[in-house]
Amino acid sequence: MIEVSREEITIDVETIKAVKGTRDLLPPETERWNLVESVTREVFRTYNFQEIRTPIFEKTELFARGVGADTDIVAKEMYTWEDQSRGGDNVAAGRQSLTLRPENTAGVVRAYIEHRLWERGLNKFYYIGPQFRRERPQKGRYRQFFQIGAEVIGPPPSGSESPARDAELLELLASLLDRLGIQQWRLELNSIGCPADRARYDQVLRQALQPVAANLCADCQRRAQTNPLRVFDCKVPADQAIIETLPRISQFLDEPCRKHFDEVREILASVGVPYTLNDRLVRGLDYYTRTAFEFTHGALGAQNAILGGGRYDGLSEALGGPQAPGIGFAIGEDRLVMSLGQSAATDGAKLDVYIAPLGTGMNKEAARLARELRRHNLVVEVGEESFRLKKSLETASKQGARYALIAGENELSTGVFALKKLASGEQRSVSRDRLLAEIQG
Ligand code: HAM
């Protein structure tokens, strides 16, 4: 038998790398992702949320109308293409504009309307999946990233409007972060009012921007014309002193919005969820109304928002649906995993048994043994058929197995197997019908 040394393998053609802004999630880090997802699913279950999975691409118009054509996401960051396939909705032209979803709220609300989910009594949804934005990649910011999100929608005409819904979601998030052992989180809270408040505010803000806009960055000069509220999304350091002087939406809330926000805060205080008011927080998507929030984390650096969300009472109607107020959030899963710290590190599956097939024709016996042991939930690895016992045992140790099980001709004919406990080096002869009990014991 010829043994090939792994070191001899060389790669001399130009290698293909992952696309900029995307990344491979490798073991054992994937274990941390699984941990986050299983804890989160469990928390969602206890708050009576159910999973929804919407397509990864949608019609571009969904995001233009839902998220807002003037937002950075829609104006600059979407992966959009003209789809040529036959049978599109735009039959006359034979093509339609499609987009990889940059976020999932618009898709969930579309599905809610399309399937009339309120008729089935469904109104609390969660999702876990990839989103795509053509942003400048940096630590914590990727072009394909993952969100874990939740949405409470309707039922029509005014369900989910209650401030109790806002507070429940925020309390859920605080509990989830605590349960994952994430410390140093900070909840920043604002209310950006209803459309009527914003119309009044818009006028005042435009006036305030007029004399100073020329001193702001090019993006802000454009925003001052198209959608002045977006000026507060600006991250350019030189602009901050001017932005600091601008009037805030909090001064323009009408009575019902003010009361709504007061009640959200009262419930938060009564359940003991700490928050900080931030009247500059306006969020980068146009569908928001009233409550807006972000959770930040001290150790994340520039991209410190672990999650963001808020209320979107007009989104269903903007997408052609019934009046169905909504509120939700999306956690950046990449950032959540980063903020977990090493305490939550997992080593991956622990290998219980390494089966070493010793001699020609032993693969079959090894496969039978592995099948039996795995049926009892043991983690089993089957080695390469070999004549070299020492090498097999070395491999078993390298892989961190608890036991090495030798499957050779002798064992097969006598029905008694050599089982070696690798930590102590102790080796015992065990009959086939005792193997499972010995390994589990
Ligand atoms: P968002 O603030 O755009 O909101 O995104 C939510 C979170 O996704 C951010 O706080 C961040 O953690 C993560 N995130 C965003 N962009 C990136 C990126 N390029 N790389 C890594 N992580 C990123 C939304 O998407 C709304 N749909 C949230 C929502 C749900 N509002 C109501 N319901």
Side-chain angles (χ1 to χ4, degrees):
M1 192 179 136
I2 304 163
E3 297 229 339
V4 180
S5 148
R6 306 249 171 224
E7 287 75 51
E8 284 168 21
I9 298 170
T10 55
I11 300 169
D12 53 11
V13 285
E14 197 180 317
T15 54
I16 299 170
K17 303 239 170 69
V19 174
K20 186 177 169 193
T22 71
R23 60 200 186 121
D24 302 305
L25 300 173
L26 307 173
E29 206 205 339
T30 38
E31 289 297 315
R32 289 152 64 83
W33 286 67
N34 285 332
L35 174 81
V36 161
E37 289 173 16
S38 66
V39 171
T40 313
R41 283 178 192 279
E42 189 49 32
V43 169
F44 280 140
R45 200 179 64 78
T46 61
Y47 286 76
N48 198 28
F49 280 83
Q50 289 178 280
E51 185 171 7
I52 186 166
R53 299 187 192 198
T54 64
I56 282 178
F57 56 90
E58 299 266 5
K59 290 179 190 160
T60 305
E61 194 191 346
L62 174 70
F63 304 112
R65 264 163 64 187
V67 175
D70 294 330
T71 59
D72 279 357
I73 294 176
V74 174
K76 301 198 277 195
E77 296 170 358
M78 297 205 304
Y79 288 95
T80 296
W81 71 97
E82 288 291 311
D83 196 79
Q84 302 281 353
S85 59
R86 284 165 187 271
D89 293 355
N90 189 352
V91 177
R95 61 173 63 186
Q96 57 183 338
S97 179
L98 301 179
T99 291
L100 287 182
R101 63 185 188 196
E103 63 98 56
N104 217 157
T105 309
V108 171
V109 175
R110 178 203 47 72
Y112 182 78
I113 299 166
E114 187 167 336
H115 305 286
R116 303 176 69 86
L117 294 182
W118 60 92
E119 289 179 354
R120 303 186 206 175
L122 297 172
N123 76 325
K124 289 172 103 173
F125 310 96
Y126 79 86
Y127 48 85
I128 300 178
Q131 318 293 332
F132 306 85
R133 295 183 193 174
R134 194 187 285 102
E135 293 194 84
R136 197 168 47 77
Q138 64 180 85
K139 184 168 171 253
R141 189 163 71 193
Y142 310 100
R143 291 181 167 175
Q144 174 177 306
F145 59 99
F146 289 77
Q147 284 187 339
I148 301 177
E151 315 290 350
V152 185
I153 312 167
S158 60
S160 91
E161 206 171 8
S162 159
R165 292 278 83 82
D166 311 40
E168 185 184 45
L169 273 194
L170 293 166
E171 188 276 322
L172 178 161
L173 285 164
S175 298
L176 173 64
L177 296 182
D178 288 345
R179 190 145 155 190
L180 286 169
I182 294 174
Q183 285 144 6
Q184 295 185 44
W185 57 260
R186 184 177 146 112
L187 161 57
E188 304 205 6
L189 195 61
N190 194 18
S191 172
I192 57 169
C194 55
D197 301 337
R198 284 237 289 287
R200 281 185 287 122
Y201 176 56
D202 188 77
Q203 273 190 346
V204 176
L205 191 57
R206 278 178 197 273
Q207 276 170 10
L209 276 165
Q210 224 165 33
V212 292
N215 302 324
L216 294 171
C217 69
D219 272 342
C220 280
Q221 291 185 25
R222 179 179 52 81
R223 290 166 178 148
Q225 297 298 322
T226 57
N227 194 347
L229 192 71
R230 296 271 73 86
V231 166
F232 288 99
D233 295 336
C234 177
K235 300 279 185 310
V236 175
D239 289 2
Q240 301 308 310
I242 295 175
I243 295 172
E244 228 12 76
T245 64
L246 297 171
R248 303 298 158 85
I249 181 73
S250 55
Q251 298 150 5
F252 293 82
L253 300 187
D254 64 14
E255 193 49 26
C257 287
R258 199 180 299 278
K259 273 182 75 178
H260 191 275
F261 193 41
D262 284 348
E263 199 171 333
V264 174
R265 291 159 57 193
E266 281 161 21
I267 303 175
L268 285 181
S270 77
V271 293
V273 172
Y275 61 86
T276 308
L277 288 181
N278 175 358
D279 63 4
R280 265 195 67 167
L281 181 77
V282 293
R283 310 271 306 126
L285 303 95
D286 277 354
Y287 50 59
Y288 289 115
T289 52
R290 296 190 168 178
T291 313
F293 56 86
E294 283 181 3
F295 280 64
T296 56
H297 189 271
L300 283 180
Q303 303 305 315
N304 68 352
I306 318 180
L307 67 96
R311 187 163 270 291
Y312 46 84
D313 291 344
L315 181 55
S316 171
E317 286 157 288
L319 296 178
Q323 185 201 343
I327 177 161
F329 64 79
I331 303 172
E333 193 175 359
D334 305 73
R335 296 183 194 175
L336 185 68
V337 171
M338 275 166 66
S339 61
L340 269 186
Q342 290 310 309
S343 58
T346 45
D347 305 331
K350 270 267 165 275
L351 186 56
D352 292 306
V353 188
Y354 181 94
I355 302 178
L358 214 61
T360 320
M362 285 304 122
N363 278 339
K364 290 196 281 297
E365 176 62 0
R368 274 196 298 271
L369 283 166
R371 183 168 156 89
E372 282 163 32
L373 297 174
R374 285 175 179 145
R375 274 189 182 151
H376 291 86
N377 282 334
L378 290 175
V379 183
V380 179
E381 182 63 58
V382 182
E384 305 271 333
E385 200 173 67
S386 159
F387 290 96
R388 295 170 59 190
L389 178 60
K390 190 159 169 266
K391 180 104 194 273
S392 294
L393 291 177
E394 274 170 18
T395 313
S397 291
K398 243 191 228 162
Q399 297 209 6
R402 282 199 301 127
Y403 286 98
L405 174 62
I406 318 300
E409 273 171 46
N410 267 349
E411 284 79 3
L412 187 57
S413 61
T414 59
V416 176
F417 290 80
L419 185 67
K420 188 173 178 112
K421 197 171 201 170
L422 290 163
S424 61
E426 176 199 352
Q427 183 165 322
R428 301 175 64 172
S429 299
V430 182
S431 65
R432 192 187 180 103
D433 56 350
R434 292 280 315 142
L435 272 178
L436 181 65
E438 195 70 26
I439 293 164
Q440 282 176 331

